[in-house]
Amino acid sequence: MRWHRLENRIVALFIVLILLVQLAGFVAIRKAIDENARASIRDELIIGERVFLRLLDQNADKLTQGARLLASDFGFRQAIGTDDRGTITSVLENHGARIGSTLSMLIGTDQQIKASTQAYPSADLQRNALELVAKAAETNGASDTVIVDDSLFQIVAVPVRAPVIIGWVVMGFPVDQKLISDMRALSSLQVSVMVSTRGGQWQQDVSTLPKDESGMLMHQLPQKPNTSSFIPQLTIGDNDYSARLLVLAKGSSNQSAVAVLQRSISEAVAPYRRLQLILLTISVIGVVMAIFASAFVARRITSPLRSLADIAKRLGAGDYRARIDIKGGDEIGKLAEAFESMRTGIANRELEIRRLAYWDPLTDLPNRVQFATLLNAAIERAKASNGQCHILMMDLDRFQHVNDVLGHSFGDSLLREVGRRLEQQLERENDKVARLGGDEYAILLPATDATEAIRQAKRILHSLEMPISIGDQTVDLGAGIGISGYPENGQNSDTLLSSAEVAMYVAKRRGSGFTVYDPSIDKSSQESLSLLSELRRALDRNEFLLYAQPKVELATGKVVGAEALVRWVHPEKGFIGPDNFIPFAETTGFIRMLTSWMLNKTAVLCAELQKRGITLKFSVNLSTRDLLDQDLPTHFADILARNQLSPSSMCLEITESAIMDDPIRAQLTLERLHGMGVELAIDDFGTGYSSLAYLKRLPVDELKIDKSFVMNMEHDADDAKIVKSTIDLGHNLGLRVVAEGLETLAVWHLLKQMGCDQAQGYYMSKPMPGDRFIEWLEQWKAPEMPSQSENMAI
C-alpha cells in the first residue's frame, strides 16, 4: 500500500479508529463481564452458604425426630427402667441403623453412659455428648455439629420420659457424601468438608471434588480459621475458583472442621465468554464493513482531488482550456468551483499579461518588447532575401511642457491621437507603429531601403506639423526622428534601436527634423555607443566614484563646503572623464539615475563628517532632466531623512541653460526644493543667455562665476571687470558669490579684494576621492592674509 496516497491514509485512519474503538469497547466489556461474574459468584456463594447451613439444620431436625421416636418407644423405656443394658444396646443399634446413626448411646440421669453402640466411646464423644445433654435439659432436645475422631458429626440428644426423665438418648450422624452431593445438586457449588488434625494439618472428610483436586485444596486453606470468610481466588489444577470458608465446629486441641463452598470462575464466566465471542464477531464484521465504507468515502474524496490535481498541472503548464465538471454542494464541490473560478481568472489574467507584455495599454500599440520581436523577424526575412529593413525612432517636441501645463489626462489623449495619426501614415500592411515609452514612438519599415525610409520620415514630420485638437485645446507638436537600417547600422534589434536613438537625439539637438544614423555623426560614435550601453551597467558594477573639491571662505581661509563630483573608472577602459559620459547620460535620461546615486553618496559622506564634528555644506549638480522631474523633491527629502541630515546641509547647483530650457517647470521644481530649506546655486554663471529679469525671480541663494573668467583675471583686465561686475550683481541680488577656477594665491587676493565670498579651485585642491577628503581637511592650512596696506596696493 502506498501510504503517500491520501485515499490509503483515509482508509487506514478509519480502520485504526474503528479498531481502537472496538478494542476499547472489548476491553471495557471484558472487564465489566469479569467484575459482574465475580460479583455474581460472590452472591452465589453467600446464597450457597445459607443453603448449606439450611441443609445441616434440616438434617439435624430429621435426626432429632428419629431420636425422639426411639425415646418414645415403650419397650425401650421399659428396658431402661429394668436397666436391661443388653436390650438397650440392641435397640440403640437397630434403631440407629434404621435412621443412619453410627453413634448411639444412653446417658443416665447421673450423667453416666449406661449403654453405647461403641464399646469404648472416645473422650471427645463423651465430652460432646454430656455438653449436648446439658443443653437438651433446657430445651427438651438439642443438636450440634462436632468433631469426633477427626470426623465431622451431627449429634442430637433427646430426653427419655416415663413420665419423668429417666435418661438421655444421644445419637450421632456423620456429615457424609450424600449430604454434600445434595448440596452440589441444589447449588452447583463444589463442597468439601475438611477437618484439621491434632498436628494442625487438614485432612479431607468428604468432598465433591476429585480426590487430586481436594488434596490441592487442603494446602491452600488457612491453618486456624476463626470465622467464616470469603476467598476471592483459589487455583486448583487448571481451574480457578472463588470460595466461601464456613467454620462448622471447634474441637479440643484447637481442632477445626470447615466446609469449603467453591464456584468455578471459568464456569461462571462461560456464558459471558460466548457473549464476548458474539461481540468479537460483530466487531470483525463492523471492521470489514468499515474498510469498504472508508474506501468508498475515500474514493469519493480523493477522486475529485486527483482530477483537480491533474487540472492544476495543466494550468501550471499553461493549458487553460480544461473545464472542471465536479458538481456538489459539499466542500469538494466548493473547491471545484473555486478551481474553476481560478482557472477562468488565471486564463483572463494570462491574456491580460500577454497583452500588457506586448502592447502599450495607453495607445493599444505594440510596446518596445513586441517591436523588438517584430524587428528581429524583419531582420531575419531581410537576411534570407539579402534585402534591407529600416526603423524610425521619434521623440515629440514640447510634449513635457504641454503635459505639465494642460495636465496628464490631456497628455494621455495627445499620445493616443499621435499614435492614431502615425498609423494613418503607414502605406503597407507590414509597416508597424509602436510606442516605446513616454513620448517616444518607433515605426518598422520591412523590406525598405534608406531612400524610402527618408521619404516616410518626411511624410510623418509633415503630418505632425498639422495642429492637434483635443476638446477645446489645440496644440502644435514637432518631433525629432532618427533613422537606422539593416544591414548598414546593425545586425540585430538592440543595435538598430541604439543607433536610431542616437540619431534621434542628434536630430533633436540639431533641430533638423530627422537624421540618418552614420558612424561619422561624431568622431567617437562607436565609443559613444559602447559607453551608452554600458552606462546602465556601471551603477550595478559599482564603477562610479564620488569625488569632492573643497570650497573655502576667502576672508578667513576656512573650509566651508565642497562640490560633489562623479568619476567613472571603467574595468577595461580605465578612467573616463565626465565630459565623455555626462552628455550621453543627459541625452538618454540616465542622468536621473546618476543624480540619484550622487545625492545618496554625498548624503552619506556629509553624515559621516557630521558624526566627526565637521559641518560642511555639500553641493551637487542638477541637469535639465532633473529639473523636469517633478518627483525629485520627494526623492531628495527621503535621502535626507535616511541619513538624518537637515536640508541646509546640501546645496543643489543648476546651470543657466538648464533653467532656460523649460523655465516654468524648472521654477516649480526649484521652488519646491527651496521650500524644503535646501540652498540653490546657479552654476557657470555668465556662459549662458539667460534673462536677468527672470533670474532675479528664481529662489536661488548662490551665484557661481564660471572658471573661464576667474583663471585669467590676473592677466586679463576684461575678465577681472566681468568678475567684479558679477560679484556686485550677485551681492545686489542678495546672493552668495562663489568663484570657480582659483589656481594662484594672487587670484585669491584679488577675489577677496573684490568682495567674493567663497572660491574653489586647484590652489586649494583638485577634486579628490571622498574617502581622502577627511584626510585633506586635517592637513589644510589657509594662506597668510596680507595686511591692509598690501591689500590696497593690490
Side-chain angles (χ1 to χ4, degrees), residues 230-251:
F230 176 73
I231 302 176
Q233 186 164 338
L234 291 172
T235 301
I236 300 176
D238 297 331
N239 298 317
D240 290 332
Y241 294 92
S242 287
R244 185 80 179 175
L245 181 66
L246 308 179
V247 178
L248 300 178
K250 292 281 188 179

Side-chain angles (χ1 to χ4, degrees), residues 217-500:
L217 175 63
M218 290 187 295
H219 298 293
Q220 299 187 49
L221 298 179
Q223 292 297 320
K224 297 178 180 180
N226 295 320
T227 58
S228 300
S229 61
F230 176 73
I231 302 176
Q233 186 164 338
L234 291 172
T235 301
I236 300 176
D238 297 331
N239 298 317
D240 290 332
Y241 294 92
S242 287
R244 185 80 179 175
L245 181 66
L246 308 179
V247 178
L248 300 178
K250 292 281 188 179
S252 61
S253 302
N254 294 323
Q255 280 187 291
S256 299
V258 298
V260 182
L261 307 180
Q262 299 166 246
R263 182 69 168 103
S264 173
I265 296 175
S266 58
E267 289 181 3
V269 175
Y272 299 104
R273 294 287 186 237
R274 287 191 294 274
L275 176 60
Q276 285 181 304
L277 182 60
I278 294 172
L279 291 175
L280 181 61
T281 303
I282 294 173
S283 298
V284 172
I285 295 173
V287 169
V288 173
M289 295 177 63
I291 291 174
F292 287 101
S294 61
F296 175 76
V297 173
R299 184 69 56 85
R300 287 290 303 273
I301 295 175
T302 57
S303 293
L305 292 179
R306 281 196 295 268
S307 300
L308 294 176
D310 293 339
I311 292 173
K313 290 180 180 178
R314 296 176 64 178
L315 292 178
D319 182 5
Y320 305 108
R321 295 170 297 175
R323 291 189 57 82
I324 301 173
D325 296 325
I326 300 172
K327 305 297 182 182
D330 57 4
E331 286 78 1
I332 298 295
K334 293 179 180 178
L335 179 61
E337 292 177 2
F339 256 78
E340 176 63 19
S341 177
M342 181 183 71
R343 181 191 69 82
T344 305
I346 291 177
N348 293 335
R349 283 192 293 274
E350 182 78 9
L351 293 175
E352 181 65 16
I353 289 171
R354 288 180 179 274
R355 191 183 70 82
L356 293 175
Y358 295 102
W359 296 89
D360 175 54
L362 179 62
T363 61
D364 205 27
L365 294 173
N367 61 9
R368 181 181 289 271
V369 175
Q370 187 175 3
F371 185 79
T373 302
L374 296 173
L375 177 55
N376 281 325
I379 291 173
E380 292 300 321
R381 288 193 297 271
K383 285 181 181 179
S385 62
N386 293 322
Q388 302 179 47
C389 69
H390 282 74
I391 60 171
L392 311 180
M393 187 176 291
M394 182 182 69
D395 185 84
L396 300 178
D397 295 335
R398 300 179 298 279
F399 172 76
Q400 194 63 55
H401 178 70
V402 172
N403 197 46
D404 292 338
V405 174
L406 299 179
H408 292 286
S409 177
F410 184 87
D412 292 343
S413 299
L414 181 60
L415 291 174
R416 284 192 289 267
E417 181 60 31
V418 170
R420 283 192 291 268
R421 184 169 291 190
L422 292 177
E423 284 187 309
Q424 293 172 0
Q425 302 305 311
L426 300 181
E427 298 178 340
R428 298 177 303 175
E429 183 179 355
N430 291 334
D431 296 346
K432 299 294 181 182
V433 176
R435 179 176 175 236
L436 304 185
D439 57 349
E440 290 186 0
Y441 293 83
I443 299 175
L444 173 62
L445 302 173
T448 302
D449 58 18
T451 302
E452 179 62 22
I454 292 173
R455 187 183 70 81
Q456 288 279 25
K458 291 179 179 179
R459 290 182 68 252
I460 290 171
L461 289 173
H462 179 70
S463 69
L464 292 177
E465 291 175 358
M466 300 174 60
I468 298 177
S469 297
I470 299 176
D472 298 332
Q473 300 291 336
T474 300
V475 295
D476 293 320
L477 289 177
I481 298 178
I483 303 173
S484 67
Y486 169 84
E488 294 87 356
N489 306 131
Q491 300 293 316
N492 55 59
S493 61
D494 290 340
T495 305
L496 288 182
L497 286 169
S498 296
S499 301

Side-chain angles (χ1 to χ4, degrees), residues 165-192:
I165 297 175
I166 58 174
W168 302 86
V169 175
V170 178
M171 304 189 78
F173 305 88
V175 178
D176 56 6
Q177 188 71 33
K178 180 179 182 305
L179 178 65
I180 62 174
S181 295
D182 291 343
M183 179 64 189
R184 167 73 172 162
L186 289 172
S187 62
S188 299
L189 298 178
Q190 299 284 359
V191 183
S192 299

